Amino acid sequence: MKVVFLGATKGMGRALARLMAARGDELFLLGRDPDDLARSAEDLRLHGATGGVGTAECDLLKPETFAPALDRATAALQHLDAVVVTAGLFASEEELEADAALRDRVLTADFTNTIHFCELSRARLLAAGGGTLCVFSSVAGERGRKPVILYGAAKAGLSHYLEGLDHKFRAQGLRTVLVKPGFVKTGMTAGLKPPPFAGEPEDVVRSILKAIDRGTPEVFAPPIWRWVMLVIRLLPRALMRRIGF
Ligand SMILES: NC(=O)c1ccc[n+]([C@@H]2O[C@H](COP(=O)([O-])OP(=O)(O)OC[C@H]3O[C@@H](n4cnc5c(N)ncnc54)[C@H](OP(=O)(O)O)[C@@H]3O)[C@@H](O)[C@H]2O)c1
């Protein structure tokens, strides 16, 4: 499979890209730091990626980098089977409420600019006859909750967009895979107390790769979060308020 990957330098992205490399997928990495990209490309070559691993600068906070990066990737791979977006930003609710510039960066990266990037990606995938667009959102987008109001709002909008994209374009060959991680132990969650059912990146990416291969429209990671969120989605608002959820 020929894959363009935004966010393979760390966390779940790195674990997923390594799994793809190990089975011989051809990868092209996009990211914001050329040195990190070069190190990640070398790491993936050592893990077995075929055809060399190309890289191009692409910063979620610089939308002008998106089209040139995707063009370079398409030219290098000659065909696109999948675009994977694990890149994202997180900050605590307290930090986001206190700092307008940080709030703007997180909302812009996780919602507006991820959607701009997906729009360019889906156009290229459809022009190539179809393919898979896999994007990481979050269970934080499933309900409005006090600890993740702002981050959750960006992810809720992103999830909504991806579900709509799936309804509109699947018949034309675009397979949208919306990933909803629960709590996974990565740099993003370092310093936070892991809740029950916290996952390790190397474990959760196995079911995510299966979902990419099958074109499953929605995948929770770890999978048990599907049932946790089913209960949370059903909680009456008055009860959420009473228990301070
Ligand atoms: N970990 C969790 O518990 C959890 C839960 C729910 C949802 N998620 C979502 O899952 C995805 C992956 O999370 P993770 O835990 O693996 O995070 P992570 O370890 O912090 O990795 C985040 C990735 O995003 C990239 N990135 C950040 N800002 C960027 C920018 N402006 N332009 C381009 N790339 C940028 C980082 O690249 P650099 O190397 O350049 O920093 C890194 O490769 C994210 O979308 C996150 O919101 C995570």
Side-chain angles (χ1 to χ4, degrees):
M1 187 158 72
K2 296 186 177 212
V3 186
V4 179
F5 211 122
L6 175 58
T9 52
K10 285 182 188 146
M12 284 184 270
R14 178 165 55 197
L16 179 58
R18 282 179 174 169
L19 211 53
M20 289 175 151
R23 68 179 194 180
D25 285 348
E26 197 172 338
L27 297 159
F28 193 101
L29 307 187
L30 308 183
R32 56 183 167 173
D33 184 292
D35 293 337
D36 275 352
L37 283 176
R39 266 193 297 275
S40 298
E42 181 54 23
D43 174 72
L44 293 173
R45 274 191 284 273
L46 293 174
H47 277 80
T50 54
V53 181
T55 64
E57 193 204 327
C58 183
D59 186 332
L60 265 184
L61 290 170
K62 296 181 187 163
E64 68 279 9
T65 62
F66 299 173
L70 284 166
D71 288 344
R72 280 187 59 187
T74 310
L77 295 174
Q78 294 178 334
H79 176 76
L80 290 188
D81 294 307
V83 176
V84 178
V85 184
T86 57
L89 286 179
F90 175 81
S92 73
E93 183 61 24
E94 290 69 30
E95 290 168 322
L96 292 169
E97 286 176 8
D99 184 340
L102 176 65
R103 185 160 69 236
D104 185 47
R105 283 201 299 282
V106 170
L107 294 177
T108 302
D110 289 352
F111 177 65
T112 311
N113 285 357
T114 298
I115 289 177
H116 285 316
F117 183 85
C118 288
E119 284 293 289
L120 295 174
S121 300
R122 71 133 177 96
R124 282 162 175 76
L125 287 164
L126 285 168
T132 302
L133 177 61
C134 171
V135 184
F136 281 49
S137 181
S138 173
V139 298
E142 300 288 283
R143 286 297 296 263
R145 289 187 48 235
K146 289 193 288 186
V148 281
I149 299 170
L150 290 155
Y151 170 77
K155 293 294 194 178
L158 180 61
S159 296
H160 199 88
Y161 159 76
L162 288 159
E163 184 183 349
L165 211 59
D166 192 54
H167 288 310
K168 180 160 184 186
F169 292 108
R170 186 161 285 249
Q172 294 172 41
L174 184 78
R175 305 187 330 160
T176 305
V177 176
L178 165 57
V179 182
K180 294 180 174 174
F183 188 104
V184 181
K185 295 177 198 164
T186 66
M188 188 173 277
T189 52
L192 301 176
K193 187 167 171 264
F197 315 124
E200 298 289 345
E202 293 73 19
D203 296 333
V204 302
V205 295
R206 293 184 189 285
S207 52
I208 294 170
L209 186 55
K210 271 193 201 136
I212 291 173
D213 289 341
R214 292 175 183 161
T216 309
E218 181 187 67
V219 57
F220 286 80
I224 192 165
W225 283 87
R226 172 179 297 281
W227 311 114
V228 175
M229 293 321 296
L230 182 66
V231 173
I232 289 179
R233 273 201 307 274
L234 291 172
L235 281 181
R237 186 185 291 222
L239 178 63
M240 284 176 80
R241 204 189 304 281
R242 200 168 325 131
I243 61 178
F245 193 53

